[in-house]
């Protein structure tokens, strides 16, 4: 077997593996067809669809049941007659034996249906077990080579090869509904649904799901479609026409005007039954319909003398007991939709409903996280007499509560306290720790406790919470930089006392000589043990001196194997800020962190700058 007709790839064991496998097989077949030495006449659309479906099922099976990386091989076998296309998918969990799908079905057990599809589409298939590898292989027959047309020049053959490669990579939609044309329904439809699942499941905005649904349906299965979305509020609220799509874009507005007058009756109540139902062809259809397609009957002259019509379906978008909306679509030139097409549309509608449900769940979670995040951060930042302040706070994502927090507040008696913390992890568990730490810290400070005493008592409170969590959620530890500032009575400079509990050390930029030095010593994280004793350090913040406090989202910003603070990178960046105000220092450090690597930061970023006047 010539090695030039063998392609291999390794895919991670996650939800993106099946999509990547389908693209890999299409790319391999398309690339082979462009070779000068090509041992088969052609790879039919049926073979391409079958190969894409088989590799999708095998990789999905490997990811779900083995959970390891998947090794994929695509090979053209010319040693047997007829030629065959061999697909192999291997995983690294050979101990998990695959049950025969027929036996599982006989026993009434779930599973193995993907292998039933593989068996149905394959000329041969089998499973090979090795010590550290399990391989499922499938062989699909390929048409043998035919004699090349005598009247084709070499340039024509090259053009045909290039066109065939483009068709494999971007297969043209099959839009005809012939009564006996069930081959695409049984085979190509599975690939269509698999690709649709990938696109729809990855969207986190319901309007984008509606938009993609329209682009997937038109012109593959329909001439036009619309997606109505039911509100998540009261049951009697009106649905919203989120998206209208037409194969002739200049007719979209007219179709929208017609559909808005007659919204579907499917509400968000649980009484809606799933499944597609026939829908009346929209009134005044001449404002948006394309000319009748073949299958509609009549001559072009007759078509101009009557209103185009066709078949329309409405599918409620149901997930569980809730109807998220309605998918409405139509096709001109048909009296009714074929049963096979109706089944395909119902399967597609279920995927659209799942996509909308996931997007709405994400939106709810993002809203809760934003509200919770706002509640965990101070509403206002105190102004310290004679001290300029600047804060930068950038959580990684809007949908997850960040683990970093900051605070700056008056403690009474001419004292102002500041804090910069980082809870291990993020999400609700991290928010719970922040929700405990901030009010306790403020209460203790206003009761007159010093820096070290505040950390001692806060540590005992967190350690008690961690002990109570044993047997349940793992404890969340807290790194904290906490300090207090007392401005000098002269109005120039201030006295600063601080301590670092497992936190990146604060840096002081001296206005006198431009030197940068750390002004604290490392101490143990808060919440690990209840008998930890913390110590604080005091120093003068002279006129023009700048104190920089950061979280590890700054110091541990990565670029390959290196971090931002390697070789005193943060010290170097702060040294270049001599003479700048607090806001300018904060912005320059923030920009340096972002520019350290082309990829966006993967951790929360927070920094506090205090500059004495």
């Amino acid at each position: 077997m010539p090695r030039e007709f063998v392609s291999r790839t390794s895919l991670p064991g996650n939800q993106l593996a099946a999509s990547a496998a389908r693209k890999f097989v299409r790319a391999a077949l398309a690339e082979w067809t462009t070779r000068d030495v090509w041992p088969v006449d052609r790879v039919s659309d049926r073979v391409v669809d079958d190969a894409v479906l088989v590799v999708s099922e095998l990789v999905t099976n490997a990811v779900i049941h083995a959970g390891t990386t998947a090794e994929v091989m695509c090979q053209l076998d010319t040693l047997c007659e007829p030629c065959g296309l061999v697909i192999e998918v291997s995983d690294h969990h050979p101990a998990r034996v695959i049950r025969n799908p027929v036996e599982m079905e006989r026993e009434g057990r779930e599973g193995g249906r993907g292998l039933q599809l593989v068996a149905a589409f394959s000329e041969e298939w089998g499973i090979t077990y090795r010590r550290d590898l399990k391989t499922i292989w499938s062989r699909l027959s390929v048409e043998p080579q035919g004699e090349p047309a005598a009247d084709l020049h070499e340039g024509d053959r090259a053009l045909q090869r290039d066109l065939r490669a483009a068709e494999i990579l971007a297969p043209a939609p099959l839009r005809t509904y012939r009564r006996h044309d069930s081959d695409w329904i049984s085979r190509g439809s599975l690939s269509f649904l698999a690709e649709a699942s990938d696109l729809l499941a990855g969207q986190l905005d319901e309007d984008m799901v509606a938009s993609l649904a329209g682009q997937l349906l038109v012109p593959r299965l329909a001439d036009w479609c619309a997606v109505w979305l039911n509100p998540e509020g009261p049951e009697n609220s009106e649905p919203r026409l989120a998206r209208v799509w037409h194969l002739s874009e200049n007719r979209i507005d007219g179709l929208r005007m017609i559909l808005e007058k007659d919204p579907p009756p499917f509400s968000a109540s649980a009484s809606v039954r799933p499944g597609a139902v026939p829908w009346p062809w929209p009134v005044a259809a001449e404002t948006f319909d394309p000319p009748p397609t073949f299958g509609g009957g009549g001559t072009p002259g007759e078509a101009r003398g009557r209103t185009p019509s066709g078949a329309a379906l409405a599918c409620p978008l149901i997930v569980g007991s809730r109807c998220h909306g309605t998918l409405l679509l139509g096709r001109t030139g048909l009296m009714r939709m074929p049963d096979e097409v109706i089944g395909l549309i119902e399967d597609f509608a279920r995927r659209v409903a799942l996509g909308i449900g996931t997007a709405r769940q994400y939106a709810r979670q993002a809203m809760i996280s934003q509200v919770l995040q706002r509640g965990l951060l101070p509403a206002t930042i105190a102004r310290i007499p004679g001290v300029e302040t600047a804060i930068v706070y950038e959580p990684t994502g809007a949908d997850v509560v960040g683990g970093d927090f900051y605070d700056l507040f008056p403690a009474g008696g001419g004292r102002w306290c500041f804090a910069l913390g980082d809870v291990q992890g993020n999400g609700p568990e991290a928010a719970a720790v922040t929700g405990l730490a901030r009010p306790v810290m403020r209460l203790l400070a206003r009761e007159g406790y010093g820096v070290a005493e505040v950390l001692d008592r806060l540590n005992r409170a967190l350690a008690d919470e961690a002990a109570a969590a044993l047997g349940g959620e793992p404890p969340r530890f807290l790194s904290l930089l906490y300090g207090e500032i007392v401005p000098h009575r002269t109005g120039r400079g201030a006295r600063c006392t601080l301590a670092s509990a497992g936190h990146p050390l604060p840096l002081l930029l001296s206005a006198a000589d431009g030197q940068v030095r750390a002004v604290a010593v490392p101490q143990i994280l808060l919440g690990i043990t209840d008998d930890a004793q913390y110590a604080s350090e005091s120093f003068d913040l002279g006129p023009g001196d700048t104190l920089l406090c950061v979280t590890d989202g700054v110091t541990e910003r990565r670029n390959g194997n290196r971090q931002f603070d390697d070789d005193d990178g943060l010290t170097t960046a702060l040294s270049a800020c001599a003479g700048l105000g607090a806001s300018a220092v904060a912005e320059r450090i923030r920009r340096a962190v972002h520019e350290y690597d082309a990829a966006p930061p993967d951790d929360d970023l927070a920094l506090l700058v205090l500059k004495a006047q």
Side-chain angles (χ1 to χ4, degrees):
M1 175 64 211
R3 294 183 57 85
E4 61 265 23
F5 296 115
V6 179
S7 296
R8 292 182 173 87
T9 189
S10 180
L11 303 174
N14 58 33
Q15 68 273 17
L16 301 179
S19 175
R22 292 192 290 271
K23 294 176 182 177
F24 161 74
V25 168
R26 286 193 185 278
L29 292 173
E31 194 271 334
W32 292 348
T33 60
T34 62
R35 304 277 180 86
D36 290 336
V37 181
W38 177 233
V40 296
D41 179 31
R42 63 188 180 93
V43 177
S44 67
D45 290 330
R46 175 170 175 167
V47 172
V48 175
D49 285 340
D50 287 358
V52 168
L53 178 61
V54 164
V55 77
S56 179
E57 293 295 338
L58 293 182
V59 170
T60 300
N61 180 78
V63 170
I64 293 176
H65 298 293
T68 70
T69 57
E71 315 299 330
V72 183
M73 185 202 73
C74 182
Q75 174 182 354
L76 187 66
D77 180 11
T78 58
L79 298 181
C80 299
E81 186 66 32
C83 295
L85 183 65
V86 179
I87 304 292
E88 289 187 1
V89 175
S90 304
D91 64 66
H92 299 274
H93 199 334
R96 184 161 293 174
V97 179
I98 296 177
R99 296 287 306 277
N100 187 300
V102 177
E103 294 179 358
M104 296 180 70
E105 185 178 21
R106 186 183 303 122
E107 296 171 5
R109 299 181 57 184
E110 293 290 332
R113 292 171 181 168
L115 293 183
Q116 287 180 323
L117 286 173
V118 173
F121 292 162
S122 304
E123 182 185 37
E124 298 177 276
W125 76 283
I127 307 172
T128 302
Y129 293 93
R130 297 182 178 87
R131 185 177 65 179
D132 58 349
L133 208 66
K134 176 171 77 264
T135 300
I136 306 179
W137 58 270
S138 167
R139 189 179 192 277
L140 310 173
S141 61
V142 179
E143 295 183 16
Q145 180 174 358
E147 291 296 327
D151 58 345
L152 283 182
H153 297 288
E154 185 59 34
D156 296 326
R157 296 192 186 98
L159 178 59
Q160 288 189 347
R161 290 195 300 267
D162 291 342
L163 290 175
R164 183 60 187 136
E167 291 172 358
I168 293 173
L169 286 172
L174 294 180
R175 300 176 56 237
T176 58
Y177 294 157
R178 297 191 298 269
R179 178 172 297 178
H180 302 292
D181 187 15
S182 61
D183 186 65
W184 182 69
I185 298 299
S186 62
R187 295 172 178 268
S189 62
L190 295 174
S191 297
F192 166 74
L193 290 173
E195 296 289 351
S197 296
D198 286 338
L199 286 172
L200 296 172
Q203 304 305 318
L204 300 178
D205 178 82
E206 62 181 44
D207 288 314
M208 182 59 71
V209 174
S211 178
L212 284 174
Q215 295 177 59
L216 287 167
L217 280 178
V218 178
R220 285 180 173 89
L221 298 176
D223 290 321
W224 59 267
C225 77
V227 178
W228 295 81
L229 294 178
N230 293 332
E232 296 193 83
E235 297 293 335
N236 58 357
S237 299
E238 289 293 326
R240 174 174 65 91
L241 185 54
R243 183 65 176 173
V244 176
W245 197 260
H246 197 289
L247 60 84
S248 298
E249 292 191 23
N250 60 339
R251 294 171 177 172
I252 291 177
D253 291 339
L255 175 58
R256 175 181 288 275
M257 292 175 60
I258 295 170
L259 295 179
E260 285 178 335
K261 299 176 182 178
D262 187 22
F266 304 126
S267 67
S269 65
S271 60
V272 179
R273 299 182 60 182
V277 296
W279 196 256
W281 194 256
V283 179
E286 69 275 4
T287 61
F288 70 88
D289 264 339
T293 57
F294 54 89
T299 65
E302 293 172 337
R304 286 191 295 269
R306 59 181 171 85
T307 299
S309 62
L313 289 176
C315 294
L317 302 174
I318 299 175
V319 177
S321 60
R322 185 172 184 84
C323 178
H324 291 293
T326 305
L327 174 65
L328 190 64
L329 63 122
R331 177 65 180 239
T332 57
L334 294 176
M335 296 298 296
R336 63 179 298 274
M337 293 283 190
D339 292 338
E340 297 90 343
V341 176
I342 293 176
L344 176 58
I345 291 172
E346 289 176 340
D347 282 343
F348 177 77
R350 282 191 286 271
R351 286 158 173 79
V352 175
L354 287 172
I356 292 173
T358 300
R360 289 185 163 182
Q361 184 177 4
Y362 170 84
R364 288 192 296 270
Q365 181 63 47
M367 182 186 67
I368 293 172
S369 296
Q370 291 170 3
V371 172
L372 184 57
Q373 190 80 68
R374 287 195 296 267
L376 295 176
L377 297 176
T380 59
I381 299 299
R383 298 183 61 180
I384 306 175
V387 178
E388 183 185 357
T389 62
I391 293 176
V392 171
Y393 179 72
E394 295 180 351
T396 306
D399 58 322
V400 178
V401 179
D404 291 6
F405 69 92
Y406 62 89
D407 205 355
L408 180 58
F409 60 93
R415 298 178 303 131
W416 278 262
C417 296
F418 63 92
L420 198 61
D422 186 1
V423 182
Q424 176 191 17
N426 50 35
E429 296 84 1
V433 176
T434 303
L436 170 66
R438 283 189 63 247
V440 169
M441 185 176 58
R442 283 192 169 214
L443 178 62
L444 292 172
R446 286 167 176 165
E447 287 294 323
Y449 289 100
V451 171
E453 295 172 308
V454 169
L455 291 184
D456 289 343
R457 286 161 173 77
L458 179 58
N459 174 69
R460 283 196 289 272
L462 293 174
D464 290 344
E465 289 293 319
L470 291 179
E473 290 293 328
R476 298 279 175 150
F477 305 123
L478 170 64
S479 74
L480 181 67
L481 177 65
Y482 174 72
E484 67 176 33
I485 288 182
V486 180
H488 293 318
R489 294 182 178 179
T490 60
R492 293 178 59 81
R495 185 69 175 172
C496 183
T497 303
L498 51 74
S500 175
H503 203 81
L505 299 181
L507 300 178
L508 178 65
L509 171 61
S510 173
D513 56 13
Q515 297 298 309
V516 176
R517 62 184 178 92
V519 286
V521 295
Q523 300 179 76
I524 191 172
L525 286 165
L526 295 171
I528 293 181
T529 175
D530 60 0
D531 59 356
Q533 297 292 319
Y534 292 90
S536 62
E537 300 183 35
S538 299
F539 57 92
D540 283 322
L541 198 62
D545 289 352
T546 301
L547 181 68
L548 173 64
C549 312
V550 302
T551 60
D552 60 10
V554 173
T555 57
E556 297 180 6
R557 167 78 158 132
R558 302 194 69 87
N559 184 334
N561 295 324
R562 294 185 57 79
Q563 295 183 351
F564 182 77
D565 200 33
D566 287 349
D567 301 324
D568 296 325
L570 184 59
T571 298
T572 302
L574 182 58
S575 298
C577 297
L580 299 179
S583 298
V585 171
E587 174 58 24
R588 178 167 292 189
I589 299 298
R590 186 201 69 82
R591 189 169 62 248
V593 173
H594 279 272
E595 292 175 352
Y596 188 68
D597 185 55
D602 58 0
D603 194 6
D604 301 335
L605 185 153
L607 59 91
L608 168 66
V609 179
L610 302 171
K611 181 173 182 178
Q613 300 297 308

